[in-house]
Amino acid sequence: MIWTIVCFLIALWVLKRYAFGPIQQLIEKRQESIQQSVEAADHARDEAERLLEEHRKLIAEARGQGEAILAEARKTRDSMEQRMREETEAERQRRLEETRKEIAAETARALQQIRAEVADLTLEAASRVVGRTLDAERDRELISEAIDGLDFSRLEESA
C-alpha cells in the first residue's frame, strides 16, 4: 500500500509538472476565447440594436416626408382646381358679355333697319295718298325726325 501511495504521489507530481500546467493554460485560453466571444456578441447585439433604432428613425422620417409630399401634392391639386374653376368662370363671363354685346348690336342694327323700312314705307304711303312724288331727301329727313320721336322701347323690351 505504501508503494501505491508512493506511485500515486509520483504520478501526481509528474502530472502536475508536465500535464496540469499545459491543461490549465488550455483551459484559461479557452475561457479567454469564450469571454472574447461573449464580449463580441454583446458588442454585435448593441450594434444591431443601434442600427435597428437608426433604421426605425429613418423609416419614421421617410413616412413623415412622404406625408409632407402628399400634403403638398394635395395642396397643389386644390390650388390648380381652384385656378381652373376661376379661369373657367372668367371665360364663361367673358363669353356671356360678348354674347350680350352681340345681341345688343344685333338689336340696334335690327331697329335701325326697321326705322329705315318704316321711313321708306311711310314715304311710299304718303306719296300714294297725296298722289304725287315727294322730294325724297327732304321727306326722308322729316320722316326720320318723326321716327326718332317714336318710342321703340316696347320693341327693345320684347326682343
Side-chain angles (χ1 to χ4, degrees):
M1 172 144 158
I2 289 190
W3 284 107
T4 308
I5 293 178
V6 169
C7 284
F8 177 74
L9 288 176
I10 292 174
L12 186 60
W13 179 79
V14 169
L15 283 175
K16 185 176 179 184
R17 176 143 178 128
Y18 296 108
F20 288 155
I23 291 174
Q24 186 63 33
Q25 287 177 355
L26 285 174
I27 290 173
E28 287 174 1
K29 283 182 183 177
R30 181 69 181 148
Q31 277 181 332
E32 286 178 20
S33 172
I34 291 172
Q35 184 64 32
Q36 288 175 354
S37 296
V38 168
E39 288 174 2
D42 286 343
H43 179 70
R45 186 187 71 233
D46 292 342
E47 182 69 16
E49 287 176 358
R50 184 187 65 78
L51 289 173
L52 180 63
E53 186 61 34
E54 185 177 318
H55 179 70
R56 286 180 180 158
K57 285 179 184 177
L58 288 174
I59 288 175
E61 185 178 314
R63 281 187 182 140
Q65 288 176 351
E67 289 174 5
I69 289 170
L70 285 175
E72 183 65 27
R74 286 184 190 112
K75 182 179 174 184
T76 302
R77 182 200 67 205
D78 291 344
S79 67
M80 288 178 71
E81 284 178 356
Q82 181 64 28
R83 190 183 82 225
M84 288 179 69
R85 280 189 207 113
E86 290 170 357
E87 288 175 358
T88 303
E89 180 62 23
E91 179 67 17
R92 188 183 71 77
Q93 289 295 332
R94 185 187 63 78
R95 286 185 179 182
L96 186 62
E97 188 60 32
E98 282 180 13
T99 303
R100 285 181 181 151
K101 286 179 182 178
E102 288 175 7
I103 290 172
E106 246 344 272
T107 303
R109 190 183 64 76
L111 286 175
Q112 185 62 32
Q113 187 176 3
I114 290 172
R115 285 181 181 148
E117 287 179 21
V118 167
D120 289 341
L121 291 173
T122 306
L123 182 60
E124 189 175 324
S127 62
R128 284 186 185 176
V129 169
V130 173
R132 61 182 169 88
T133 303
L134 302 173
D135 180 18
E137 186 61 35
R138 185 174 177 295
D139 292 338
R140 282 187 194 276
E141 288 177 18
L142 288 172
I143 293 171
S144 291
E145 287 175 14
I147 290 174
D148 287 339
L150 294 177
D151 184 20
F152 283 100
S153 61
R154 290 180 290 174
L155 290 175
E156 289 176 358
E157 289 175 4
S158 65

